Amino acid sequence: MRRGRAIFSAATAAVLVAGLAACGGGSDAADENRIDVWIGFTDYRLDWAKERAAEFVEKHPEYTVNVEGYDSYEVLFDALTAASQQGDPPTIVQNFEAATQESRDAVNADGERLFVPLEEAIDGRDEILGEPVVLDDIVDAARGYYTIEGEFSSMPWNTSTPVFYANSTYMEDAGIEEPPATWEDLNAACEKVMELDDGPKHCISWPNHAWFPEQVLAEQGGLLADQNNGRDGRAENVDLTSPEWLAFIDYWKQLSDDGYYYYSGVQEDWDGPKNAFGGQEVAFLLTSSGDATAVVGEAADTGFDVEVSRYPFFADAPYAGNIIGGATLWLVDGLPETTQDGALAFMQFLNNPENAADWHKTTGYIPITNSAVELLEDEGWYDENPYQKVATDQLALSDGSPAASGVLLGSFVAIRAEVTQAVEDILTTGADPAERFAQAQENAQTLLDEYNLLYTE
């Protein structure tokens, strides 16, 4: 038995049990050829996954694959909490990168680990049910994040990084020859854009989400937690007051005070900034590369072109790299061998070169394997759509350090919420960045301490 808690909060389990029973989610010994996959998408990405599942079943008719979509990762996690407590979890679960430490720590109703590390389950095999294993082909950025204690924890799938989107018309009108590469360049570009007679209301927008300051911290080689960002052992201390962190918070506040930054007024709002950019209310946008296909396509429908470039950095600071976002597929532990092999084979199939390339084309998430990148290059995809290569090239600049690999941290989602609340206070009430993040630091440390108490012998 492991000391700990069932995955995330068990408090929501009781109210969800009845609904989950109707979902039919679960793999058991009585139905070893059934694979249930829960993902946090309900849009075209769910449709894509269901289509691939149907193709997999055509190749492997002895299996059934049922893909269930949820409105968000958070809703999915609540459902998983309830299902695992009832001893009826799905076979495969999509968890986002911020939940990696909690996924590793998660236990089932019997106190045993909920997920088996992917590499342990594969056990050195080159193929499973005829599907080639793709782990050795995963691109370095995803490999660096999800390789923990020397082995892959889960199967990378939708991987992204934030990139810079620029309205080409505003740039041309303002005499800006290329998108700003540094934060200093962005200031100069904003000054020109805001002088336009028919310019936008603001210069730039991005979501109030902790992922964005985390990027600039990583770029400078700064760490969010001790133990080398949780890479050399369980992180015990979080740091929201480092010079690298506050340098960007100060910059963000000044950008807002100058009227250059547009805040939608809603924390973790991804649609507001995108809508402002699509409506040409801002000239520039920072958001996920996973939205590249949609952002560029919607702008074209509106009547303007978009230039996509890498995330800005401070000119006089070191550059270690940008971190990933997105999610992976986790395999539930303790499955019958037939079920586990089918699930592992499906994961490989989902990420074979053709499928990984098509997933990238459909969404904008980076192609997750080197073979998929090569396939896209051979097809001339990047020649026709150069903006789609920006995220892959950006992540390839990483120095592989713990800063650029990204943090592993308990209660990470709750800690991120402390960050977004602090930023909102700074942007909307004029709170002093250093003082406000000293408070956020205390709150975040308490969250981490309380989390770690659950997993300390």
Side-chain angles (χ1 to χ4, degrees):
M1 297 282 288
R2 295 175 59 195
R3 183 180 178 187
R5 60 177 178 179
I7 185 166
F8 308 105
S9 171
T12 58
V15 296
L16 290 164
V17 169
L20 284 162
C23 292
S27 297
D28 53 44
D31 192 0
E32 296 183 5
N33 292 75
R34 178 187 175 101
I35 300 168
D36 290 292
V37 184
W38 288 4
I39 64 176
F41 301 136
T42 56
D43 54 13
Y44 66 96
R45 293 169 293 188
L46 173 61
D47 296 335
W48 186 95
K50 287 185 173 181
E51 290 169 2
R52 301 294 82 72
E55 292 171 359
F56 178 83
V57 171
E58 286 183 10
K59 292 185 65 178
H60 304 276
E62 68 275 23
Y63 285 96
T64 60
V65 179
N66 304 287
V67 183
E68 184 83 19
Y70 289 83
D71 288 336
S72 68
Y73 294 128
E74 289 77 13
V75 172
L76 170 58
F77 295 162
D78 283 343
L80 179 61
T81 299
S84 63
Q85 284 298 286
Q86 291 299 305
D88 189 32
T91 318
I92 297 170
V93 177
Q94 181 194 29
N95 285 354
F96 65 157
E97 98 290 351
T100 297
Q101 184 63 54
E102 295 203 30
S103 297
R104 296 181 70 225
D105 291 333
V107 296
N108 60 24
D110 295 324
E112 305 296 337
R113 69 182 183 182
L114 182 58
F115 299 114
V116 58
L118 184 70
E119 197 160 355
E120 178 183 324
I122 291 174
D123 195 25
R125 289 175 284 180
D126 295 326
E127 57 86 21
I128 301 170
L129 304 182
E131 303 293 342
V133 173
V134 303
L135 284 191
D136 289 344
D137 199 26
I138 299 293
V139 296
D140 288 344
R143 175 184 303 279
Y145 191 92
Y146 296 112
T147 297
I148 305 168
E149 296 180 354
E151 67 178 1
F152 261 107
S153 58
S154 52
M155 173 59 75
W157 182 32
N158 54 308
T159 296
S160 61
T161 190
V163 292
F164 190 90
Y165 300 84
N167 182 313
S168 298
T169 301
Y170 282 140
M171 285 181 56
E172 182 178 352
D173 291 348
I176 302 168
E177 295 183 358
E178 57 186 16
T182 68
W183 296 112
E184 292 86 354
D185 291 341
L186 176 60
N187 275 339
C190 284
E191 184 175 351
K192 293 180 179 180
V193 166
M194 298 306 289
E195 289 176 350
L196 293 173
D197 291 335
D198 296 321
K201 296 178 181 178
H202 299 277
C203 178
I204 188 169
S205 186
W206 63 82
N208 176 13
H209 190 287
W211 196 39
F212 294 88
E214 287 167 22
Q215 294 292 332
V216 189
L217 176 68
E219 287 179 337
Q220 299 171 84
L223 299 176
L224 194 60
D226 63 353
Q227 299 291 347
N228 267 332
N229 255 359
R231 297 283 165 181
D232 292 343
R234 183 180 295 278
E236 297 179 345
N237 296 284
V238 63
D239 188 359
L240 297 177
T241 60
S242 68
E244 295 91 348
W245 180 268
L246 291 177
F248 181 67
I249 301 300
D250 286 337
Y251 176 89
W252 193 349
K253 181 180 187 301
Q254 189 61 54
L255 207 65
S256 179
D257 289 347
D258 290 341
Y260 294 163
Y261 172 77
Y262 165 70
Y263 179 38
S264 72
V266 180
Q267 296 178 30
E268 301 187 11
D269 177 15
W270 296 86
D271 290 335
K274 281 190 294 184
N275 292 339
F277 183 74
Q280 301 192 75
E281 297 175 6
V282 296
F284 305 125
L285 169 70
L286 284 170
T287 196
S288 171
S289 61
D291 289 324
T293 300
V295 170
V296 174
E298 290 169 8
D301 292 340
T302 303
F304 68 95
D305 294 329
V306 177
E307 290 192 47
V308 183
S309 56
R310 60 183 283 200
Y311 200 89
F313 52 91
F314 283 122
D316 296 330
Y319 180 80
N322 287 91
I323 55 176
I324 67 168
T328 53
L329 302 174
W330 289 79
L331 181 64
V332 168
D333 197 13
L335 298 169
E337 182 178 354
T338 299
T339 310
Q340 178 171 286
D341 282 355
L344 289 170
F346 178 66
M347 288 180 178
Q348 313 313 310
F349 175 80
L350 205 64
N351 283 326
N352 69 30
E354 293 77 17
N355 285 336
D358 189 65
W359 176 243
H360 160 75
K361 290 179 181 179
T362 302
T363 63
Y365 290 116
I366 69 166
I368 200 61
T369 64
N370 294 304
S371 294
V373 174
E374 293 171 4
L375 177 61
L376 291 162
E377 290 173 340
D378 292 343
E379 290 178 351
W381 169 255
Y382 293 126
D383 294 332
E384 297 176 4
N385 304 277
Y387 74 92
Q388 292 279 20
K389 191 75 169 1
V390 171
T392 295
D393 289 344
Q394 174 172 294
L395 290 174
L397 296 172
S398 169
D399 64 5
S401 65
S405 295
V407 68
L408 301 173
L409 192 61
S411 285
F412 195 10
V413 175
I415 289 170
R416 278 180 161 176
E418 290 292 334
V419 171
T420 56
Q421 183 60 59
V423 168
E424 177 162 287
D425 292 345
I426 291 166
L427 296 180
T428 63
T429 70
D432 177 76
E435 293 177 1
R436 184 61 185 84
F437 268 98
Q439 178 186 344
Q441 164 70 32
E442 291 184 12
N443 296 341
Q445 187 62 50
T446 297
L447 288 167
L448 181 59
D449 290 343
E450 291 175 348
Y451 178 89
N452 283 340
L453 283 175
L454 295 169
Y455 302 101
T456 302
E457 295 297 335

